[in-house]
Amino acid sequence: MNPAQALPALPAAPDDDHAPPPLSISERARVAAAPRASDYLAGLNPEQRQAVEATEGPVLVLAGAGTGKTRVLTTRIAHLIATGKAWPSGILAVTFTNKAAREMKERVSHLVGAAGEGMPWLGTFHAIGTKVLRRHAELVGLRSDFTILGMDDQIRLLKQVIAAEGIDEKRWPARQLASFIDGWKNRGLQPKEVPAGEAAAFANGRGLALYGAYQARLKTLNATDFGDLLLECLRLWRDNPDVLESYQQRFRYMLVDEYQDTNVAQYLWLRLLAQARKNLCCVGDDDQSIYGWRGAEVDNILRFEHDFPGATVIRLERNYRSTGHILAAASGIIAKNKDRLGKTLRTEDEAGEKVTVSGAWDSEEEARQIGEEIEALHANKERLSDVAVLVRISAQMREIEDRFVTLGLPYRVIGGPRFYERAEIRDALAYLRATAQPADDLAFERIVNLPKRGLGEAAVQCIHAHARRARVSMMQAARYLVETDEMKPAPRRSLRDLMASFDRWRAMMDRTAHNELAATILEESGYTDMWQKEKSADAAGRLENLKELVRSMEEFPDLASFLEHIALVMDANETEGQDRVSLMTLHAAKGLEFDTVFLPGWEEGLFPSQRALDENGRAGLEEERRLAHVGLTRAKRRAKIYFASNRRIHGMWNSTIPSRFVDELPEEHVEVTEAPAAYSVRGASRFETMTPFGSSYQTPGWQRAQARAAEASADPDSDIRGSGEFSEPGAFFNQGRGFGSGARPQRRSPGGRTGPQMIEGEILAKSTGAPSAYALGGRVLHLKFGPGTVAAIDGNKLTVDFDKAGRKMVLDSFVEAAS
DNA sequence: TCCTAGCGCTTTTTT
DNA sequence: AGCGCTAGGA
């Protein structure tokens, strides 16, 4: 980056079998112009170095977790540039995510200086596909200013297509069709290539017709979806050999990151480009292929040597991340997989701590244990940002978040709803699109009645009908309709105002900064007003997001390039800096690392996911196992696995058994922790573990609750798990319906003490008569709702305004005084 | 046109 | 349980 840190002279051309031919004058000049990399090869281990220097022919680098994969990729690019084998513009480097592309760009320019910034062909498959398509749009029936539809637009369009074919959208949901079409596109299949049998699965055999109709509709709209960005490239290159050849000539060297995640379409895309020069270097790890469910084809990496004869395969097995026990545990698990190329990770690091396995009674206790351990780590001067909790499914997060809120542990959820997927952002973008691209019907439709301006279903239908009849955009149709009296006066007036606004904004476009224009549009359209009037808790956050959106536009030269960027980039701009625990899914954790990793929910059915097993059998199981491997290899120094005996799934309590992966861990690298309250979990029969009072398994809920309440008052120290919140008496009688229907299973604890739970406020309220120890306006802390202020007191019943949860009536025994 | 009660669905998620 | 969507009524 910094030119001042000038780099010493190049090392001599690598002295190996693939030594380049003598350099011509122009090539020498090129080398001279390339920024010098210092001893960029020096820090590499022998395998890494081999991977960097094997520039010619197909190369597969099998890079295990934490083996320096990104380093190899970036150094390889630097090497190609520094040795004069290629200009930056002659190197194609593809990644899956924008984040990965950004990082790679950064690291390359760090190595080679400003030349790296100029790598025009470093990007995601989709970004590069877009670039190619814009240049040759007319050859595939598009104009070069085609719009890229996001998922929501895609669904909206499919709904229209389904409706147009006279199919009941409720019976055959657009979402499902979208996943069919995405699946076909992932496999590189155009409508005419889809196997007849497959398409029959949707809408009684009309799936294929719908796919065709959808594609036709996209063309009319001058639009593509994400899949098309690759598919249309394939079509372009196949139908126009001269165009293909120009790209084959251009890309002297090609690099692919995360090759195990490529789908068939991407494989075909790469193969077409690599056919001529064959300098294709794929980096990946078959043991980290976890995206099969969205079309990734592990076979691509497993078959690499077959697909690219004469390929060099290099294994990176030296792990620089994890300590010995963690690595051995991860290796032990992944070794059970059959479909793999086989690698053995090793480390020169110390053995470190063993992987721990802990059982918990239920998911709440699991969350409590994790919270406690994190607090202990924190007290021990560990940074929270070095700690992560990795879950299998997002639904697991809530309980853990609840616990963190209660404890006041700062945390951040990674990979939540993405910035650009948030409704308010999509709405704002729709306004901008409708302004900048008047033919963008989907954008227009999204905001025509947002905020509500009296243009409901009927009005939209009317515009639609006219647009279709006159074969014009909805915007044009609307323009026509305000001049006629096909519409009722009220909507007509409203529509006229809206059209006038759009005219005004469009007129501003060339003389107003685009971010200013955006602010104006959001203001004048009443959109920001809409959220300002909204009293809900997240309205403020949404307004904040809108501000952030406008601010982020500054970085782009004009509205068009901003919209282009938006269509492809879906990353949230994470605010860094604070010391927080990270909470995310295992999928989101790929590529990250933390000192300490908590892995809750290792239970059959949840992890491995029952659905993965049902739908994909052994392949599904192996993918889950890879996920376990990914989870463990995120840990640098500590990995902690948990399972609970009872977990609520879709609102119902279920008895669960530990994951088979727990038992696949190699014994000698694992330590089973003592549960804080000693109760046997493993091997306990389902009924034993869940009957609270002898045979009360079938006892009506009210009896159980009474018994529990009595016990609660008798034992103030008992483990309080209910919230103490009041509920209507009626609701109470509706809840205790026994196991599997919402009632919570009871713990059997050694001393015969049973934790009271779901305590019915009314009963407990009668059983304790002591006056409240809390004062009006006092601060209290509630186990479930967190901190709050006492608003009213009635005996032992408090009305508390919780900071997070709002106003609730709770029993004072459920709160404690807080500062 | 707007509000709300009820229904059904529910892994993982990028572009 | 929680969310989003839809239908049906005000």
Side-chain angles (χ1 to χ4, degrees):
Chain A
M1 283 288 235
N2 183 358
Q5 297 170 338
L7 305 156
L10 274 178
D15 181 20
D16 65 15
D17 297 345
H18 298 292
L23 297 181
S24 68
I25 295 175
S26 67
E27 281 167 332
R28 269 157 50 207
R30 179 187 292 172
V31 174
R36 304 299 161 81
S38 59
D39 42 355
Y40 61 91
L41 292 174
L44 302 177
N45 68 37
E47 305 86 68
Q48 289 174 331
R49 185 165 175 151
Q50 192 196 353
V52 166
E53 293 182 334
T55 55
E56 311 304 309
V59 176
L60 175 64
V61 180
L62 286 172
T67 56
K69 176 197 71 167
T70 313
R71 178 150 191 214
V72 163
L73 267 173
T74 51
T75 311
R76 189 178 162 101
I77 293 173
H79 183 68
L80 290 170
I81 296 171
T83 54
K85 285 176 187 286
W87 288 109
S89 59
I91 299 171
L92 174 75
V94 261
T95 63
F96 272 84
T97 63
N98 292 297
K99 189 169 159 236
R102 222 180 302 125
E103 275 170 20
M104 200 179 296
K105 227 170 213 166
E106 218 163 83
R107 290 180 65 166
V108 169
S109 48
H110 207 78
L111 281 173
V112 302
E117 316 256 349
M119 285 203 52
W121 300 101
L122 191 167
T124 62
F125 277 103
H126 294 84
I128 291 169
T130 307
K131 196 163 176 172
V132 170
L133 281 185
R134 293 230 187 267
R135 297 183 165 195
H136 313 280
E138 70 291 347
L139 293 177
V140 291
L142 292 164
R143 280 180 282 119
S144 68
D145 64 340
F146 62 84
T147 40
I148 302 162
L149 267 39
M151 270 209 320
D152 55 327
D153 294 321
Q154 194 190 1
I155 300 289
R156 198 186 303 257
L157 187 55
L158 281 171
K159 272 186 182 153
Q160 292 174 13
V161 171
I162 291 172
E165 294 277 313
I167 294 167
D168 181 8
E169 207 266 330
K170 252 164 289 165
R171 190 157 146 57
W172 300 104
R175 255 174 204 296
Q176 201 188 337
L177 180 58
S179 75
F180 270 102
I181 292 178
D182 283 346
W184 292 324
K185 290 187 174 178
N186 283 340
R187 286 156 55 203
L189 300 173
Q190 295 174 45
K192 57 177 191 248
E193 299 164 328
V194 175
E198 260 184 72
F202 192 85
N204 304 321
R206 287 201 276 171
L208 197 51
L210 288 166
Y211 181 15
Y214 169 67
Q215 289 304 108
R217 219 37 211 116
L218 283 172
K219 286 283 173 334
T220 327
L221 289 167
N222 189 35
T224 68
D225 61 17
F226 284 122
D228 283 345
L229 295 175
L230 296 168
L231 206 55
E232 294 290 8
C233 279
L234 293 180
R235 207 154 67 85
L236 167 74
W237 287 334
R238 282 176 182 158
D239 297 351
N240 305 276
D242 52 321
V243 176
L244 173 62
E245 205 197 320
S246 72
Y247 284 97
Q248 288 174 334
Q249 291 311 314
R250 180 191 305 264
F251 302 134
R252 302 167 76 98
Y253 294 94
M254 299 167 55
L255 295 90
V256 186
D257 190 17
E258 307 279 19
Y259 188 62
Q260 78 282 353
D261 288 340
T262 49
N263 60 36
V264 172
Q266 286 156 343
Y267 161 75
L268 294 170
W269 194 92
L270 290 168
R271 204 180 62 176
L272 278 177
L273 285 177
Q275 249 163 17
R277 294 181 178 269
K278 301 195 165 55
N279 293 331
L280 174 68
C281 173
C282 295
V283 180
D285 180 1
D286 51 322
D287 292 337
Q288 291 189 65
S289 163
I290 55 175
Y291 286 110
W293 49 274
R294 68 178 194 212
E297 197 62 61
V298 211
D299 267 10
N300 284 349
I301 195 166
L302 298 178
R303 281 198 345 247
F304 187 86
E305 290 179 84
H306 172 261
D307 291 337
F308 299 96
T312 310
V313 179
I314 299 164
R315 285 179 161 74
L316 304 183
E317 299 176 302
R318 294 188 208 206
N319 174 291
Y320 297 101
R321 180 185 294 151
S322 313
T323 47
H325 284 308
I326 292 169
L327 215 53
S331 300
I333 284 208
I334 201 65
K336 309 270 178 191
N337 270 3
K338 298 240 162 53
D339 281 340
R340 62 190 292 251
L341 293 166
K343 281 187 297 346
T344 311
L345 291 176
R346 56 179 190 277
T347 176
E348 282 154 30
D349 206 351
E350 56 185 18
E353 293 178 33
K354 289 189 175 180
V355 174
T356 68
V357 175
S358 315
W361 168 253
D362 62 17
S363 41
E364 251 175 58
E365 186 184 281
E366 177 186 72
R368 216 175 314 128
Q369 282 184 31
I370 291 173
E372 269 167 33
E373 293 201 43
I374 294 177
E375 284 192 318
L377 288 169
H378 194 38
N380 211 13
K381 306 272 191 299
E382 300 263 348
R383 284 198 325 213
L384 295 179
S385 52
D386 291 331
V387 177
V389 182
L390 312 183
V391 295
R392 177 61 183 78
I393 61 171
S394 318
Q396 284 172 264
M397 290 187 190
R398 185 196 314 272
E399 271 177 310
I400 293 168
E401 282 188 68
D402 281 353
R403 194 62 202 160
F404 286 174
V405 168
T406 305
L407 293 173
L409 259 182
Y411 68 92
R412 101 183 98 189
V413 175
I414 298 192
R418 310 227 157 261
F419 188 70
Y420 294 112
E421 285 168 29
R422 289 163 201 267
E424 68 275 18
I425 299 298
R426 296 195 309 210
D427 292 340
L429 291 172
Y431 267 105
L432 296 176
R433 277 163 54 192
T435 307
Q437 305 156 1
D440 196 333
D441 284 359
L442 295 159
F444 178 78
E445 201 179 335
R446 181 174 181 110
I447 47 80
V448 66
N449 197 30
L450 201 96
K452 298 269 187 291
R453 45 172 79 91
L455 296 169
E457 191 64 21
V460 172
Q461 277 312 316
C462 180
I463 300 172
H464 244 308
H466 187 267
R468 193 159 300 189
R469 222 174 24 239
R471 298 179 172 279
V472 295
S473 69
M474 289 180 77
M475 194 74 85
Q476 281 170 289
R479 198 171 297 281
Y480 167 82
L481 286 168
V482 297
E483 302 301 332
T484 66
D485 48 6
E486 284 174 49
M487 274 179 157
K488 297 222 170 75
R492 184 176 155 192
R493 215 173 308 124
S494 178
L495 188 61
R496 182 187 306 150
D497 290 348
L498 181 66
M499 298 311 291
S501 296
F502 271 115
D503 287 341
R504 200 169 57 250
W505 299 328
R506 233 164 261 146
M508 288 171 68
M509 274 173 68
D510 43 0
R511 55 187 167 79
T512 316
H514 55 290
N515 56 338
E516 246 171 77
L517 175 67
T520 306
I521 292 175
L522 294 178
E523 210 49 55
E524 292 185 359
S525 63
Y527 188 74
T528 42
D529 264 2
M530 180 182 94
W531 287 114
Q532 265 150 10
K533 287 199 190 90
E534 169 124 6
K535 283 283 172 276
S536 72
D538 54 343
R542 291 177 191 272
L543 286 164
E544 202 47 51
N545 288 339
L546 289 172
K547 264 191 208 154
E548 172 62 29
L549 179 75
V550 171
R551 193 168 48 217
S552 72
M553 290 175 71
E554 286 171 15
E555 299 164 25
F556 297 87
D558 54 57
L559 190 56
S561 58
F562 173 71
L563 291 174
E564 162 93 30
H565 166 82
I566 289 307
L568 288 168
V569 179
M570 304 287 263
D571 291 321
N573 348 7
E574 282 285 338
T575 34
E576 289 291 325
Q578 289 135 320
D579 191 33
R580 294 161 178 274
V581 177
S582 302
L583 179 57
M584 70 195 92
T585 62
L586 285 160
H587 285 88
K590 196 171 84 160
L592 306 178
E593 57 177 33
F594 301 89
D595 272 355
T596 306
V597 168
F598 290 86
L599 299 162
W602 282 42
E603 294 136 36
E604 282 296 301
L606 177 62
F607 188 39
S609 138
Q610 192 56 50
R611 188 156 163 178
L613 265 38
D614 291 346
E615 288 175 6
N616 293 306
R618 193 184 63 115
L621 175 63
E622 295 210 340
E623 182 153 319
E624 294 287 300
R625 197 177 273 123
R626 291 193 290 268
L627 206 44
H629 173 254
V630 166
L632 280 167
T633 51
R634 298 311 95 196
K636 294 204 274 198
R637 289 162 48 214
R638 269 185 295 265
K640 297 178 164 293
I641 294 168
Y642 294 80
F643 60 85
S645 298
N646 294 282
R647 186 174 297 273
R648 195 159 26 184
I649 298 163
H650 307 322
M652 289 198 304
W653 283 97
N654 285 91
S655 177
T656 52
I657 60 170
S659 167
R660 68 191 76 187
F661 299 151
V662 170
D663 288 319
E664 288 176 4
L665 292 162
E667 191 89 41
E668 61 276 28
H669 302 291
V670 170
E671 177 191 338
V672 177
T673 66
E674 283 298 316
Y679 42 87
S680 153
V681 187
R682 296 183 70 174
S685 93
R686 158 179 167 144
F687 295 112
E688 249 174 36
T689 52
M690 41 154 306
T691 50
F693 310 109
S695 63
S696 74
Y697 168 51
Q698 291 178 328
T699 308
W702 63 272
Q703 276 184 15
R704 287 205 313 246
Q706 270 184 338
R708 269 181 251 142
E711 190 156 320
S713 52
D715 182 1
D717 291 335
S718 62
D719 178 15
I720 294 164
R721 293 234 224 71
S723 68
E725 186 184 8
F726 290 91
S727 53
E728 293 302 308
F732 159 59
F733 283 103
N734 290 334
Q735 59 183 9
R737 282 190 304 268
F739 178 70
S741 62
R744 182 199 194 91
Q746 298 293 299
R747 158 195 290 184
R748 169 195 273 189
S749 48
R753 240 176 56 193
T754 305
Q757 37 211 296
M758 309 309 270
I759 289 170
E760 215 298 307
E762 204 63 33
I763 292 172
L764 193 62
K766 278 174 193 149
S767 64
T768 59
S772 175
Y774 300 96
L776 267 181
R779 294 287 287 168
V780 294
L781 186 68
H782 185 277
L783 272 178
K784 188 161 178 183
F785 303 130
T789 307
V790 179
I793 302 172
D794 174 18
N796 62 343
K797 287 176 276 189
L798 308 177
T799 303
V800 181
D801 287 321
F802 289 104
D803 300 352
K804 293 264 159 59
R807 174 166 290 203
K808 304 250 187 221
M809 291 264 282
V810 297
L811 291 168
D812 64 359
S813 53
F814 281 82
V815 299
E816 56 188 69
S819 49

